[in-house]
Protein backbone atom coordinates (compact mmCIF):
# COMPACT_ATOMS: atom_id res chain seq x y z
CA UNK A 1 0.00 0.00 0.00
CA UNK A 2 1.23 3.48 -0.86
CA UNK A 3 2.36 5.36 2.23
CA UNK A 4 4.02 8.61 3.26
CA UNK A 5 5.62 9.03 6.69
CA UNK A 6 7.03 12.27 8.05
CA UNK A 7 9.42 12.66 10.95
CA UNK A 8 9.78 14.04 13.46
CA UNK A 9 6.17 14.85 14.35
CA UNK A 10 7.30 18.02 16.06
CA UNK A 11 10.55 19.93 16.17
CA UNK A 12 11.59 22.91 18.23
CA UNK A 13 14.64 24.92 17.15
CA UNK A 14 16.42 28.03 18.31
CA UNK A 15 16.67 30.81 15.77
CA UNK A 16 19.69 30.11 13.58
CA UNK A 17 19.83 26.40 14.45
CA UNK A 18 19.74 24.48 11.15
CA UNK A 19 17.97 21.13 10.87
CA UNK A 20 16.21 18.74 8.48
CA UNK A 21 12.73 17.30 8.20
CA UNK A 22 12.22 13.86 6.71
CA UNK A 23 9.56 12.46 4.38
CA UNK A 24 9.85 8.77 3.57
CA UNK A 25 7.56 7.17 1.04
CA UNK A 26 6.55 3.74 -0.18
CA UNK A 27 4.95 3.77 -3.60
CA UNK A 28 5.10 1.45 -6.57
CA UNK A 29 6.48 4.25 -8.72
CA UNK A 30 6.99 7.94 -7.99
CA UNK A 31 5.50 10.52 -10.30
CA UNK A 32 6.23 13.50 -8.06
CA UNK A 33 6.88 14.57 -4.47
CA UNK A 34 5.56 17.86 -3.14
CA UNK A 35 6.33 19.98 -0.09
CA UNK A 36 3.84 22.38 1.47
CA UNK A 37 3.84 24.74 4.41
CA UNK A 38 0.72 25.24 6.53
CA UNK A 39 0.23 28.04 9.04
CA UNK A 40 -2.38 27.68 11.80
CA UNK A 41 -5.88 28.38 10.53
CA UNK A 42 -4.74 28.53 6.91
CA UNK A 43 -4.66 26.19 3.97
CA UNK A 44 -1.36 24.62 2.85
CA UNK A 45 0.94 26.72 0.68
CA UNK A 46 2.88 25.03 -2.09
CA UNK A 47 6.69 25.09 -1.76
CA UNK A 48 8.43 22.57 -4.05
CA UNK A 49 8.00 19.76 -6.56
CA UNK A 50 10.64 17.05 -6.93
CA UNK A 51 10.48 14.42 -9.66
CA UNK A 52 13.55 12.22 -9.56
CA UNK A 53 16.29 11.05 -7.21
CA UNK A 54 19.11 13.53 -6.94
CA UNK A 55 16.94 16.54 -7.66
CA UNK A 56 17.18 19.58 -5.38
CA UNK A 57 15.11 22.75 -5.10
CA UNK A 58 15.82 25.85 -3.01
CA UNK A 59 13.81 28.79 -1.76
CA UNK A 60 15.23 31.26 0.72
CA UNK A 61 16.26 29.23 3.81
CA UNK A 62 14.65 26.02 2.55
CA UNK A 63 16.19 23.30 0.41
CA UNK A 64 14.39 20.12 -0.61
CA UNK A 65 16.22 16.99 -1.77
CA UNK A 66 15.01 13.64 -3.06
CA UNK A 67 16.32 10.07 -2.98
CA UNK A 68 14.61 6.87 -4.13
CA UNK A 69 13.02 6.35 -0.73
CA UNK A 70 12.82 9.72 0.99
CA UNK A 71 12.97 13.46 0.78
CA UNK A 72 14.54 15.95 3.15
CA UNK A 73 13.56 19.53 3.77
CA UNK A 74 16.65 21.31 5.05
CA UNK A 75 16.12 24.54 6.95
CA UNK A 76 19.21 26.72 7.21
CA UNK A 77 19.46 29.37 9.94
CA UNK A 78 15.71 29.37 10.58
CA UNK A 79 13.80 32.40 11.78
CA UNK A 80 10.65 32.51 13.94
CA UNK A 81 8.57 33.19 10.82
CA UNK A 82 9.54 29.72 9.54
CA UNK A 83 7.38 28.24 12.30
CA UNK A 84 4.64 26.21 10.63
CA UNK A 85 3.61 22.66 9.83
CA UNK A 86 5.45 21.25 6.83
CA UNK A 87 3.55 18.70 4.77
CA UNK A 88 4.85 16.23 2.24
CA UNK A 89 2.69 14.65 -0.48
CA UNK A 90 3.42 12.07 -3.13
CA UNK A 91 1.81 11.17 -6.40
CA UNK A 92 2.28 7.55 -7.40
CA UNK A 93 2.34 6.28 -10.96
CA UNK A 94 -1.04 4.70 -11.57
CA UNK A 95 -3.02 3.56 -14.55
CA UNK A 96 -5.35 6.01 -16.17
CA UNK A 97 -5.60 9.59 -15.12
CA UNK A 98 -5.40 9.06 -11.39
CA UNK A 99 -3.99 12.28 -9.96
CA UNK A 100 -4.58 11.57 -6.26
CA UNK A 101 -1.95 12.67 -3.81
CA UNK A 102 -0.93 10.71 -0.70
CA UNK A 103 -0.18 13.02 2.21
CA UNK A 104 2.00 12.68 5.27
CA UNK A 105 0.78 13.91 8.66
CA UNK A 106 3.31 16.72 8.72
CA UNK A 107 6.08 18.03 10.94
CA UNK A 108 5.18 20.89 13.26
CA UNK A 109 8.15 23.23 13.43
CA UNK A 110 8.57 25.90 16.11
CA UNK A 111 11.50 28.33 15.92
CA UNK A 112 12.20 30.25 19.10
CA UNK A 113 13.75 33.74 18.93
CA UNK B 1 -4.87 37.81 -8.59
CA UNK B 2 -7.50 36.65 -6.10
CA UNK B 3 -6.83 33.39 -4.31
CA UNK B 4 -9.12 30.49 -3.59
CA UNK B 5 -12.18 31.56 -1.64
CA UNK B 6 -14.10 29.21 0.61
CA UNK B 7 -17.37 29.93 2.36
CA UNK B 8 -18.45 29.72 5.07
CA UNK B 9 -15.26 29.81 7.14
CA UNK B 10 -16.87 28.38 10.25
CA UNK B 11 -20.09 26.51 10.86
CA UNK B 12 -21.71 24.46 13.58
CA UNK B 13 -24.25 21.77 12.80
CA UNK B 14 -25.94 18.99 14.72
CA UNK B 15 -25.96 15.29 13.92
CA UNK B 16 -28.29 14.34 11.13
CA UNK B 17 -28.23 17.73 9.44
CA UNK B 18 -26.68 18.39 6.08
CA UNK B 19 -24.18 21.05 5.00
CA UNK B 20 -23.07 22.66 1.77
CA UNK B 21 -19.65 24.25 1.38
CA UNK B 22 -18.61 26.50 -1.46
CA UNK B 23 -15.31 27.10 -3.22
CA UNK B 24 -14.35 29.68 -5.83
CA UNK B 25 -11.05 28.75 -7.50
CA UNK B 26 -8.38 31.05 -8.86
CA UNK B 27 -9.51 32.65 -12.09
CA UNK B 28 -8.59 30.43 -15.03
CA UNK B 29 -8.20 27.28 -12.95
CA UNK B 30 -10.42 24.45 -14.10
CA UNK B 31 -9.64 21.83 -11.45
CA UNK B 32 -11.01 21.90 -7.93
CA UNK B 33 -10.10 19.28 -5.32
CA UNK B 34 -11.63 18.84 -1.89
CA UNK B 35 -9.85 17.54 1.20
CA UNK B 36 -10.83 16.75 4.75
CA UNK B 37 -8.19 17.56 7.36
CA UNK B 38 -8.23 16.23 10.91
CA UNK B 39 -5.39 16.05 13.46
CA UNK B 40 -5.27 12.27 13.51
CA UNK B 41 -5.78 11.51 9.81
CA UNK B 42 -4.13 14.48 8.15
CA UNK B 43 -5.28 15.47 4.69
CA UNK B 44 -7.71 13.00 3.18
CA UNK B 45 -8.70 13.37 -0.47
CA UNK B 46 -12.43 13.60 -1.12
CA UNK B 47 -12.76 14.26 -4.85
CA UNK B 48 -11.51 16.29 -7.77
CA UNK B 49 -13.57 18.05 -10.42
CA UNK B 50 -12.30 19.21 -13.77
CA UNK B 51 -14.48 21.02 -16.27
CA UNK B 52 -17.66 20.03 -14.39
CA UNK B 53 -16.76 16.31 -14.34
CA UNK B 54 -15.62 14.32 -11.34
CA UNK B 55 -12.18 13.10 -12.32
CA UNK B 56 -11.05 11.31 -9.15
CA UNK B 57 -12.71 10.19 -5.95
CA UNK B 58 -11.39 9.26 -2.52
CA UNK B 59 -12.62 6.63 -0.12
CA UNK B 60 -15.47 8.46 1.55
CA UNK B 61 -19.07 7.29 1.93
CA UNK B 62 -21.76 8.44 -0.43
CA UNK B 63 -22.91 11.04 2.12
CA UNK B 64 -20.10 13.18 0.73
CA UNK B 65 -20.84 14.59 -2.69
CA UNK B 66 -19.76 17.47 -4.83
CA UNK B 67 -20.30 19.26 -8.06
CA UNK B 68 -18.66 21.87 -10.23
CA UNK B 69 -20.35 24.59 -12.20
CA UNK B 70 -19.51 25.96 -15.64
CA UNK B 71 -17.61 28.87 -14.06
CA UNK B 72 -15.42 26.32 -12.19
CA UNK B 73 -16.92 27.17 -8.81
CA UNK B 74 -17.51 24.06 -6.77
CA UNK B 75 -19.69 22.93 -3.92
CA UNK B 76 -19.48 19.94 -1.66
CA UNK B 77 -22.32 18.54 0.37
CA UNK B 78 -22.34 16.30 3.39
CA UNK B 79 -25.66 14.75 4.30
CA UNK B 80 -26.72 13.08 7.56
CA UNK B 81 -23.84 14.58 9.50
CA UNK B 82 -22.00 12.48 12.04
CA UNK B 83 -19.76 13.61 14.91
CA UNK B 84 -16.75 12.26 13.03
CA UNK B 85 -17.37 14.69 10.17
CA UNK B 86 -16.04 17.52 12.33
CA UNK B 87 -12.98 18.72 10.44
CA UNK B 88 -11.39 21.42 8.35
CA UNK B 89 -12.58 21.08 4.77
CA UNK B 90 -10.10 22.45 2.28
CA UNK B 91 -10.58 23.28 -1.34
CA UNK B 92 -7.63 23.46 -3.73
CA UNK B 93 -7.53 24.71 -7.28
CA UNK B 94 -5.10 24.11 -10.08
CA UNK B 95 -4.91 24.54 -13.81
CA UNK B 96 -5.89 20.87 -13.98
CA UNK B 97 -3.31 19.79 -16.47
CA UNK B 98 0.37 19.12 -16.06
CA UNK B 99 1.70 18.74 -12.52
CA UNK B 100 -1.14 17.61 -10.23
CA UNK B 101 0.57 18.38 -6.94
CA UNK B 102 0.98 22.13 -7.36
CA UNK B 103 -2.25 23.07 -5.66
CA UNK B 104 -3.50 26.41 -4.39
CA UNK B 105 -5.54 25.99 -1.23
CA UNK B 106 -8.22 28.14 0.32
CA UNK B 107 -8.30 28.85 4.03
CA UNK B 108 -10.87 26.15 4.61
CA UNK B 109 -14.29 25.73 6.15
CA UNK B 110 -14.17 24.51 9.72
CA UNK B 111 -17.15 22.30 10.45
CA UNK B 112 -18.13 21.33 13.96
CA UNK B 113 -20.82 18.68 14.38
CA UNK B 114 -22.51 18.55 17.79
Amino acid sequence: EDQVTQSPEALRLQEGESSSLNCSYTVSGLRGLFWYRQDPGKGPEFLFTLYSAGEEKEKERLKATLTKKESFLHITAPKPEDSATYLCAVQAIRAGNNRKLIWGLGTSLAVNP
Amino acid sequence: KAGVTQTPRYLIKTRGQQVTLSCSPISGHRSVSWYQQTPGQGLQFLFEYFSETQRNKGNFPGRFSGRQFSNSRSEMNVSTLELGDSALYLCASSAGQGVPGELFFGEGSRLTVL
Side-chain angles (χ1 to χ4, degrees):
Chain A
E1 185 186 342
D2 298 334
Q3 203 165 20
V4 175
T5 304
Q6 292 188 247
S7 62
E9 282 187 27
L11 181 63
R12 186 175 292 276
L13 300 173
Q14 288 299 123
E15 185 172 1
E17 180 187 1
S18 301
S19 188
S20 297
L21 314 182
N22 178 266
C23 170
S24 63
Y25 60 91
T26 306
V27 296
S28 50
L30 180 70
R31 179 159 281 169
L33 185 143
F34 311 92
W35 281 98
Y36 283 79
R37 167 195 170 122
Q38 186 173 22
D39 293 302
K42 300 280 182 76
E45 176 189 350
F46 171 76
L47 292 173
F48 303 111
T49 304
L50 299 166
Y51 291 106
S52 56
E55 190 174 358
E56 298 183 355
K57 293 274 180 73
E58 279 190 72
K59 180 179 179 180
E60 295 179 0
R61 296 176 292 282
L62 301 177
K63 183 166 90 171
T65 62
L66 181 65
T67 73
K68 288 189 176 177
K69 294 210 183 292
E70 58 192 349
S71 176
F72 291 94
L73 185 65
H74 306 277
I75 303 177
T76 303
K79 298 182 177 181
E81 52 262 42
D82 294 322
S83 298
T85 295
Y86 290 85
L87 297 166
C88 169
V90 159
Q91 193 202 16
I93 294 173
R94 293 194 184 93
N97 190 24
N98 193 324
R99 296 160 56 86
K100 283 194 291 186
L101 300 179
I102 308 154
W103 293 81
L105 294 180
T107 293
S108 176
L109 173 67
V111 181
N112 297 326
Chain B
K1 195 174 189 181
V4 178
T5 303
Q6 290 189 245
T7 57
R9 289 292 314 280
Y10 303 92
L11 63 168
I12 299 174
K13 294 285 187 178
T14 56
R15 277 181 300 175
Q17 287 187 310
Q18 66 98 27
V19 66
T20 299
L21 309 177
S22 178
C23 172
S24 293
I26 291 172
S27 177
H29 283 187
R30 294 163 63 192
S31 167
V32 172
S33 300
W34 288 91
Y35 287 86
Q36 181 194 68
Q37 187 175 36
T38 58
Q41 299 288 320
L43 275 160
Q44 301 286 309
F45 174 76
L46 282 155
F47 25 67
E48 180 199 6
Y49 286 87
F50 179 78
S51 294
E52 301 179 68
T53 301
Q54 188 179 86
R55 182 155 68 173
N56 287 297
K57 189 176 188 308
N59 299 322
F60 277 80
R63 300 186 296 108
F64 292 81
S65 62
R67 58 178 175 168
Q68 186 179 34
F69 302 96
S70 58
N71 61 358
S72 293
R73 191 177 72 83
S74 177
E75 289 181 348
M76 68 162 280
N77 183 276
V78 188
S79 62
T80 319
L81 284 166
E82 301 176 0
L83 295 179
D85 297 333
S86 294
L88 180 67
Y89 289 88
L90 290 161
C91 163
S93 81
S94 71
Q97 290 151 331
V99 183
E102 294 181 4
L103 303 172
F104 296 84
F105 283 86
E107 295 197 326
S109 294
R110 183 163 295 282
L111 171 65
T112 301
V113 182
L114 302 175

